[in-house]
Amino acid sequence: MTSEHIALQRVSNTRDLGGMAGLGGRRIQSSKLYRSGELHGASDADRIWLCNHIDLVIDLRTPQEIAEAPDPELPGIRFVTLPIMESLTQGVTYEKDAYDQVFLRLASNPAEAFNYMIQVYENMICQEHARKLWSRMLDLLTEKYDRGILFHCTAGKDRAGMAAILIEEILGVESSDILEDYLYTGICLQKHINDLIEGIKQSFGNRTQPVSDEALRHLFDVHPTYFSALFRAAEDRFGGMQGWIRDGLCVTQDMMKSLQRLYLSP
């Protein structure tokens, strides 16, 4: 079971976590928790949808990404920035300065690109900076809102994907469903990823070191091994995902129960 895709015009990978089966078979409530890619290019129709459905936007991008592609100002919506990555990260953050580094270092070497992305995912579990901001995100989720919360990064793939994994884990979604929902991003973003890879090949195809389709796909797509890397890092460092949530993010049982009351059906 996956989250529900919402076909906005110019906001990629928009999904409602509602309907997924959580703790004790209770469903995540619809219209409460959304994820997406960046909002910068939102059409007028997209902006109307956001204003009608969202009270809080949590932006997981770096300050440079935000400066280059800021979210639109939308009346009645609160915006909070939580830059999970401290600096540009090839394949994950999308600052303009990152691209040459991507191609020179990783785009011609599939094995290196793959291992690099595994490290990126492990860092989202282990780095203290990231853990503090995941904890802050959960604090925001414990507040009451009349409408929904939307969390996003640039493509809605890695950081937003990790946020969804964390929330689904707290709400008791089965691991197999969490994995299925994570991989659903590859379907929702298939055209975007293909277009991005083709554009990169055209722009950088004349370099001495050829650009590799496989390496670029490792950087810009999701992969079950990346998902496994999260759980392995949590197991190695904290004894599992629940231990990471409890000890790494300092989430109490009372807070877990509060989130479950807020976001699971009665």
Side-chain angles (χ1 to χ4, degrees), residues 46-58:
D46 295 339
R47 294 181 187 214
I48 291 170
W49 184 91
L50 290 164
C51 289
N52 286 337
H53 289 82
I54 304 300
D55 276 339
L56 172 68
V57 169
I58 300 174

Side-chain angles (χ1 to χ4, degrees), residues 157-214:
K157 175 174 69 80
D158 303 305
R159 291 162 289 181
M162 179 65 222
I165 289 168
L166 169 57
I167 293 167
E168 290 163 12
E169 179 73 23
I170 288 174
L171 298 182
V173 177
E174 292 287 342
S175 295
S176 57
D177 287 340
I178 298 177
L179 172 60
E180 183 180 0
D181 189 49
Y182 165 74
L183 294 176
Y184 186 43
T185 289
I187 297 172
C188 294
L189 289 178
Q190 184 175 38
K191 183 180 185 303
H192 170 80
I193 293 168
N194 290 340
D195 290 347
L196 180 61
I197 289 173
E198 285 304 311
I200 289 169
K201 287 165 59 180
Q202 291 177 15
S203 298
F204 292 84
N206 59 354
R207 287 183 178 268
T208 303
Q209 205 168 16
V211 171
S212 161
D213 280 34
E214 183 182 3

